[in-house]
């Protein structure tokens, strides 16, 4: 999974997206905050949701407790 | 004499929804629907680490900024693995100094190639031909181009095609042969005799009732 590396750690892309989700955000907002194309955000967020690192909330996306823990493990505290 | 023409029932058709897919790419798993809201140029190449394809990838990468201005995303495809794509993209950057900014589908099982009729068995049963599919922001297939294995594509023609399609959508016009932005466009012909009479007085550059041009 591009959001996780072989060691089970989140990737740079996942870190950027999860950080952008520290406040509830729509997919276009996440794309704008991260400067990543929207198509790629859609694919990556789908994977983050499937992995339980992010969740959909009223058509926006938020980081979950699991996502925040993974982010903290990678050295980023929200 | 038997003149039957074999038609692949799965072949895509213009002005119909582009076949949906989910595929492994160099940018992760992507679905066609992920591109919704953008124009997409989905294009196939025969194989990674081949010379004509390398020239095309460099040309597409150089075209990407102009396409981005027009709201167009590129997506490549070949019957190679993600690892092969990654190695080739890295090689192109090392050797030619060009970064490939778009995803490349690793279509090892030919799922997407089959959906879009990209394999021409008369050319090769194991490689995709040089196909281009232009898909609009609503997911409708708007144009198709097929080139043989031996002939690299003209990316300026693809840019011209995008400009023409977008001008058509924005202004409800058609574009004449060899049109480029700034040239006069074709006003769609009238569909009734009354409109044909009116057309002659409409103030366009009119050769005859069915042939009118205007400046955008």
């Amino acid at each position: 999974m591009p959001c996780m590396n072989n060691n089970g750690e989140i990737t740079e892309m996942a870190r950027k997206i999860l950080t952008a989700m520290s406040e509830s955000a729509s997919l276009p907002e996440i794309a704008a905050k991260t400067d990543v194309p929207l198509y790629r955000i859609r694919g990556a967020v789908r994977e983050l949701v499937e992995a339980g690192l992010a969740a959909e909330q009223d058509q926006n996306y938020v980081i979950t407790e699991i996502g925040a823990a993974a982010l903290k493990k990678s050295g980023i505290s929200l | 004499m038997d003149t039957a023409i074999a038609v692949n029932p799965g072949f895509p058709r213009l002005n119909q929804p582009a076949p949906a897919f989910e595929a492994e790419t160099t940018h992760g798993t992507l679905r066609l629907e992920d591109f919704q809201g953008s124009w997409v140029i989905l294009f196939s190449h025969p194989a990674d680490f081949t010379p004509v394809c390398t020239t095309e990838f460099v040309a597409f990468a150089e075209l990407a900024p102009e396409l981005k201005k027009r709201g167009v995303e590129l997506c490549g495809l070949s019957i190679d693995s993600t690892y092969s794509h990654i190695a080739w993209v890295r090689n192109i950057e090392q050797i030619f100094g060009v970064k490939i900014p778009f995803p490349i589908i690793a279509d090892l099982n030919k799922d997407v190639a089959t959906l879009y009729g990209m394999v021409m068995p008369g050319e090769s049963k194991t490689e995709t031909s040089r196909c281009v599919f232009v898909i609009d922001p609503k997911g409708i297939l708007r144009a198709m181009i097929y080139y043989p294995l031996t002939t690299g594509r003209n990316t300026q023609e693809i840019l011209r095609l995008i400009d023409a399609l977008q001008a058509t959508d924005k202004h409800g016009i058609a574009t004449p042969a060899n049109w480029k932005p700034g040239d006069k466009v074709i006003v769609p012909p009238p569909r009734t005799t009354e409109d044909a009479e009116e057309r002659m007085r409409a103030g366009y550059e009119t050769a005859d009732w069915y042939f009118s041009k205007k400046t955008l």
Side-chain angles (χ1 to χ4, degrees), chain B residues 1-215:
Chain B
M1 192 172 85
D2 186 3
T3 56
I5 298 170
V7 176
N8 180 345
F11 230 63
R13 291 285 182 263
L14 293 182
N15 274 354
Q16 292 189 350
F21 62 78
E22 178 176 292
E24 293 303 315
T25 82
T26 49
H27 288 187
T29 303
L30 290 176
R31 298 174 181 169
L32 177 61
E33 67 197 48
D34 291 335
F35 293 94
Q36 193 176 21
S38 298
W39 289 79
V40 185
I41 294 175
L42 172 65
F43 69 99
S44 58
H45 66 279
D48 297 347
F49 292 102
T50 54
V52 177
C53 300
T54 301
T55 65
E56 288 190 321
F57 261 56
V58 168
F60 276 120
E62 289 172 349
L63 190 69
E66 281 301 313
L67 292 172
K68 194 175 178 69
K69 289 179 194 169
R70 292 158 171 81
V72 184
E73 301 287 356
L74 284 158
C75 184
L77 177 148
S78 72
I79 304 170
D80 289 296
S81 69
T82 307
Y83 302 116
S84 172
H85 287 334
I86 291 170
W88 186 39
V89 162
R90 288 170 62 86
N91 181 262
I92 290 173
E93 187 168 4
Q94 285 165 2
I95 304 297
F96 299 98
V98 175
K99 196 172 180 67
I100 302 301
F102 48 82
I104 312 167
I105 293 173
D107 199 31
L108 277 175
N109 54 13
K110 303 184 193 175
D111 282 350
V112 182
T114 302
L115 274 175
Y116 281 80
M118 293 170 169
V119 177
M120 304 287 165
E123 279 203 309
S124 172
K125 292 183 174 68
T126 57
E127 298 167 304
T128 43
S129 293
R130 302 185 192 283
C131 310
V132 178
F133 300 89
V134 179
I135 302 166
D136 75 13
K138 293 177 182 168
I140 303 298
L141 182 60
R142 298 291 298 276
M144 298 186 282
I145 304 171
Y146 289 82
Y147 270 42
L149 300 176
T150 52
T151 309
R153 284 159 284 199
N154 184 329
T155 55
Q156 287 304 310
E157 168 58 10
I158 294 168
L159 186 64
R160 192 191 75 90
L161 175 59
I162 290 287
D163 283 335
L165 289 168
Q166 293 186 344
T168 292
D169 285 2
K170 187 173 180 185
H171 301 287
I173 50 82
T175 51
N178 300 323
W179 176 87
K180 57 186 184 306
D183 290 353
K184 289 179 179 169
V185 298
I186 301 283
V187 184
R191 300 175 70 91
T192 65
T193 51
E194 292 82 2
D195 288 346
E197 289 296 322
E198 180 64 26
R199 175 60 57 87
M200 299 302 289
R201 300 187 293 272
Y204 298 127
E205 178 186 311
T206 298
D208 203 346
W209 64 272
Y210 68 91
F211 193 116
S212 299
K213 286 183 174 180
K214 69 174 183 179
T215 303

Side-chain angles (χ1 to χ4, degrees), chain A residues 8-22:
Chain A
E9 295 161 345
I10 57 173
T11 61
E12 175 63 28
M13 176 67 73
R15 276 196 292 275
K16 282 172 78 170
I17 295 172
L18 289 172
T19 303
M21 285 178 183
S22 57

